[in-house]
Structure formats: structure tokens, C-alpha cells
Amino acid sequence: MNSRKLTNKRIADFQTALQEEERSDGTIEKYLRDVRAFACWLDGRDVAKETATGWKKHLLSAGYSPVTANSMISAVNSFFRVNGWEDCRIKFVKIQRKLFREEAKELTREEYARLLDTAHALGKKRLALLLETICATGIRVSEVAYITVKAAQLGKAEIRLKGKIRVILLPGKLCRKLLKYAHQQKIASGGIFLTRSGKNLSRRQIWAEMKNLCGQAQVEPSKVFPHNLRHLFATTFYRAYKDIVKLADLLGHSSIETTRIYLLTTGAEHTRQLECLGLII
């Protein structure tokens, strides 16, 4: 068997392959980080089924959660696929399906409102509008760049990512706010959420601005990140309309099983539901 070394060139070729597959910048960055972590652990050894399986054991013994370990395994399996090393694929850690979400990570509407009020009080108009845009539409943070002046004028944004095209409808009140902000910032066309230099806000910048708001808004930082606003949109929509199929379309999910994960209640709410059954006499 020919030597299988995880070299810098192979990692660079992997990056090119991911770009050709039109993976998002965030996904590419994460996959490369995970593959480099695997390479560091290999420490020059050849890639083989035994070493790949050993890395899985290492992740679990090092204290990585099964979910995190599986995400890292997914990245390395993609690397194996691109290089034709399918015989080295690693089996995922089996995880029992969760019945509820951790309450410590559940962002409530009241906390969301505090974040908005605090952003306005601090004069952070762009951040406040960004929070509303993500939460009112359920878009991914990678899709923020598609919120343009034209999209606000039309009331819809066309998202082109990962080789897929989907249309996001924008509420009328949100469109008016977006256009008013764009006018104030003298943005005549293109993206609305821009840096001072006129570039689209990056994932890291959005994340950092949201985290910096937590202290004064008195909201736990563990609850404040872009994807949690997407969760809040999902749970609010489902409670109002009880239509998981429509919700899956709005979120851009190809599987309803993915949407179901968004609708997990907290442990406290799950307990209340059990108590309401009236089966303890």
C-alpha cells in the first residue's frame, strides 16, 4: 500500500475541493481546522483505518462531547472522501436522541427583547437591526450578506449557497426598517450590514458584537449567538402555526428531522408537560 501522509499540500487540495463544492466559508474554515487537528495528532504517522479509529478514541478520552466529536469526524471523513481513502472512514459516535434542550442555552423572548433594548440604548443601530433581521426571518448567519437594498425593496432575498437557491420572504415592517437604515447610512445598493470600510460583516464580527452586548443586557453569553436567534424564530413560528413542513421550508431544511431538533423544549417545560398528564394520583 502506498504511504498515506496527511501533508499541507493535501490539506490545500482539500480546501480547493470544498470551494468547488460551494461549501460556505464557515464550513470550510471548520473542516480545515478539524483536519489540521487530526494531522497534529497523527504526528507524521500514516493515515490508516487503525489511526483514524484511534483519533476517535482520543477525542472521547480528551473530553470532547459526542456531538463535537462527530462534527470533527465528519470533517475528516470528508477529507478521506476527497482523497479516495474511503476505507479509512470513521464511524460516528452513537448518540441517543435528545428529548429536550438545556435550559442554560435557551434564549427567551424576554431576553431577546433586552438585547434589542440594550443595543438601541447604546446607539448600536446596526446590531439591533441585525438581531431583528435574523430573528424575524430565521436566516443563517452566512445568509446575512444576501440582505440587500434590492431585497428590502422587493420584500424577498434570493439565497445562493452550497449549490442551492432559496427565497427568503422579508416582513413588511422589517423591510421598512432596513430601507430607512440604508438611507441613513447612504447605502444605495448592495448589502445593508456593512463594516466601516464597506465590506459585509463577517461571521466572527457578528458573533463578537452579539457577545459584547450580553453584559449590559444581563443575558448569559452562552445563550447569545446567531444560531440561537434562528432557534427562537423556529419555536415562535411553530407555536403560532403548528406547521413543521412549512417551517422546514422557511429554514431551508431538506429533512423535517433537522427541523424537529429546533423544536425541542427545555427540560423545565418538558417536566411541566409530564406533570400536566395528571397520572400521579
Side-chain angles (χ1 to χ4, degrees), residues 11-27:
I11 293 176
D13 290 343
F14 178 51
Q15 179 177 1
T16 300
L18 292 175
Q19 291 169 339
E20 290 175 350
E21 292 175 2
E22 297 184 7
R23 300 295 186 99
S24 69
D25 291 341
T27 297

Side-chain angles (χ1 to χ4, degrees), residues 5-251:
K5 297 290 185 183
L6 210 166
T7 62
N8 289 331
K9 183 181 184 307
R10 281 199 165 113
I11 293 176
D13 290 343
F14 178 51
Q15 179 177 1
T16 300
L18 292 175
Q19 291 169 339
E20 290 175 350
E21 292 175 2
E22 297 184 7
R23 300 295 186 99
S24 69
D25 291 341
T27 297
I28 293 174
E29 181 183 349
K30 184 196 180 302
Y31 275 28
L32 292 176
R33 182 170 64 248
D34 292 341
V35 169
R36 289 189 181 107
F38 178 48
C40 183
W41 178 81
L42 281 173
D43 194 24
R45 288 175 293 167
D46 285 355
V47 175
K49 181 65 177 179
E50 294 74 20
T51 50
T53 303
W55 187 62
K56 172 184 173 180
K57 293 177 181 177
H58 160 73
L59 293 176
L60 296 175
S61 64
Y64 287 92
S65 71
V67 172
T68 301
N70 279 345
S71 73
M72 297 175 77
I73 288 170
S74 179
V76 171
N77 280 344
S78 290
F79 177 81
F80 292 159
R81 172 182 57 79
V82 168
N83 283 277
W85 300 347
E86 296 286 355
D87 57 302
C88 294
R89 285 182 62 84
I90 310 167
K91 290 184 179 180
F92 291 109
V93 181
K94 292 184 179 180
I95 304 174
Q96 182 179 359
R97 178 178 290 179
K98 284 188 176 182
L99 295 177
F100 49 84
R101 295 188 74 202
E102 294 179 34
E103 197 161 1
K105 294 183 179 180
E106 184 80 6
L107 181 69
T108 67
R109 289 192 66 151
E110 291 73 19
E111 289 168 332
Y112 165 63
R114 287 211 302 275
L115 288 170
L116 287 179
D117 290 343
T118 302
H120 283 299
L122 295 174
K124 298 181 179 293
K125 294 182 180 179
R126 183 185 66 187
L127 180 56
L129 185 56
L130 178 60
L131 294 172
E132 284 189 300
T133 300
I134 296 175
C135 201
T137 60
I139 61 174
R140 301 177 177 89
V141 67
S142 59
E143 298 171 336
V144 168
Y146 291 86
I147 304 300
T148 63
V149 172
K150 184 177 180 180
Q153 292 170 339
L154 295 176
K156 59 183 179 181
E158 189 176 86
I159 309 293
R160 295 172 176 266
L161 283 174
K162 300 180 182 180
K164 298 179 182 178
I165 301 175
R166 71 187 187 100
V167 175
I168 300 295
L169 298 179
L170 308 177
K173 186 175 181 180
L174 175 63
C175 289
R176 291 190 290 274
K177 284 191 171 188
L178 288 168
L179 291 174
K180 180 179 179 180
Y181 174 80
H183 178 73
Q184 291 172 341
Q185 300 299 314
K186 298 181 180 179
I187 301 172
S189 62
I192 291 177
F193 296 106
L194 307 174
T195 63
R196 291 180 180 178
S197 61
K199 296 181 180 179
N200 288 317
L201 284 174
S202 69
R203 180 192 301 261
R204 287 182 178 178
Q205 288 170 311
I206 293 172
W207 186 286
E209 288 193 22
M210 288 180 63
K211 291 292 184 183
N212 289 337
L213 201 59
C214 297
Q216 288 177 275
Q218 295 185 327
V219 179
E220 286 297 323
S222 62
K223 297 183 176 186
V224 184
F225 50 94
H227 204 68
N228 237 14
L229 294 175
R230 185 166 152 85
H231 270 282
L232 182 55
F233 166 82
T235 54
T236 303
F237 181 91
Y238 185 74
R239 285 169 182 163
Y241 302 108
K242 298 294 189 294
D243 189 340
I244 194 171
V245 175
K246 182 63 177 294
L247 178 58
D249 288 339
L250 291 174
L251 294 173

